[in-house]
Amino acid sequence: EAGVTQFPSHSVIEKGQTVTLRCDPISGHDNLYWYRRVMGKEIKFLLHFVKESKQDESGMPNNRFLAERTGGTYSTLKVQPAELEDSGVYFCASSQEWGIIAGGADTQYFGPGTRLTVL
Amino acid sequence: TQLLEQSPQFLSIQEGENLTVYCNSSSVFSSLQWYRQEPGEGPVLLVTVVTGGEVKKLKRLTFQFGDARKDSSLHITAAQTGDTGLYLCAGIYGQNFVFGPGTRLSVLP
């Protein structure tokens, strides 16, 4: 079974440009999450999709960030316009269920991340 | 202010030594998880602890959840070079998933 994949693995852009990150979750996983780690900080939650709906987007830093999950399959995270402080590693994860589920159905499987550098 | 703190931040030991890393919070968590992350990869779940005082073993790794469910520890016995990586604790706080900053472990041959 294929794991969570993310594209691109690296992106270097200039301040003011637009970048779109893509995440393909594990097939059949309704829950999809975006996280971000900026240099020297902990991984922080950005948002959570259940199928195509945004369950929680309280972690999104500002309105320059737009996440979509059309059709409830893959997701994109667009940053427009990018700022220097947006640099970091963006992780996507997916799970069958959300919460504390016996048997581990809530286990989040992480992708390898996209390293974004804004110059 | 970080909800989950981890110590030490960095740890370098020789192969065969034992070590313990800690995850602490001033808040109560219904469960805590431990992940290991290697360079160029995402975090991989090692264990979930749910009950206060719970101890779980995964081969040479022993995880403990504090009685008050505010802290957890990870003990590695006879560390191997393959244990090298970033160890993260995480838990559900409210509706969100929060991570600690991690302990970067280096096991030298």
Side-chain angles (χ1 to χ4, degrees):
Chain A
E1 179 182 292
V4 176
T5 57
Q6 293 186 243
F7 182 84
S9 57
H10 294 82
S11 181
V12 181
I13 61 173
E14 293 189 350
K15 176 182 172 181
Q17 289 186 324
T18 297
V19 63
T20 300
L21 313 181
R22 173 170 170 144
C23 168
D24 286 78
I26 292 173
S27 179
H29 281 192
D30 287 341
N31 293 271
L32 185 149
Y33 317 84
W34 283 99
Y35 295 88
R36 175 176 77 169
R37 176 193 278 147
V38 297
M39 184 68 72
K41 301 286 188 180
E42 71 275 17
I43 296 173
K44 283 197 171 177
F45 167 85
L46 296 179
L47 88 159
H48 170 201
F49 282 100
V50 178
K51 297 185 181 178
E52 67 275 10
S53 300
K54 291 176 184 174
Q55 178 75 11
D56 182 353
E57 55 183 329
S58 61
M60 295 287 263
N62 51 60
N63 58 12
R64 295 185 292 103
F65 289 74
L66 175 64
E68 295 181 320
R69 192 183 182 194
T70 307
T73 54
Y74 72 91
S75 174
T76 58
L77 179 64
K78 179 189 287 188
V79 186
Q80 180 182 31
E83 298 289 343
L84 299 179
E85 63 266 23
D86 300 333
S87 294
V89 181
Y90 290 76
F91 291 104
C92 173
S94 72
S95 69
Q96 284 182 299
E97 303 286 348
W98 163 248
I100 304 168
I101 308 291
D106 60 327
T107 298
Q108 293 189 34
Y109 295 88
F110 283 78
T114 292
R115 182 174 294 278
L116 174 65
T117 302
V118 182
L119 302 176
Chain B
T1 303
Q2 294 175 347
L3 204 56
L4 287 170
E5 296 187 347
Q6 291 188 246
S7 61
Q9 187 178 0
F10 299 96
L11 183 59
S12 183
I13 62 171
Q14 293 294 132
E15 194 169 29
E17 292 183 353
N18 302 332
L19 67 113
T20 303
V21 298
Y22 301 91
C23 174
N24 296 285
S25 177
S26 57
S27 301
V28 175
F29 280 80
S30 55
S31 67
L32 280 178
Q33 297 184 320
W34 285 92
Y35 291 79
R36 185 171 80 193
Q37 184 181 5
E38 299 187 35
E41 299 181 6
V44 175
L45 179 66
L46 296 174
V47 78
T48 300
V49 286
V50 178
T51 306
E54 181 177 8
V55 176
K56 280 192 174 179
K57 291 193 174 183
L58 186 66
K59 296 183 180 178
R60 294 174 296 100
L61 278 59
T62 302
F63 304 85
Q64 184 161 8
F65 200 12
D67 291 341
R69 291 185 288 129
K70 291 184 178 182
D71 56 270
S72 181
S73 64
L74 159 59
H75 180 82
I76 301 179
T77 302
Q80 300 177 354
T81 55
D83 296 327
T84 293
L86 178 66
Y87 288 82
L88 300 159
C89 67
I92 296 174
Y93 189 78
Q95 290 297 310
N96 294 344
F97 206 65
V98 295
F99 279 86
T103 292
R104 190 165 297 281
L105 172 65
S106 180
V107 182
L108 306 174

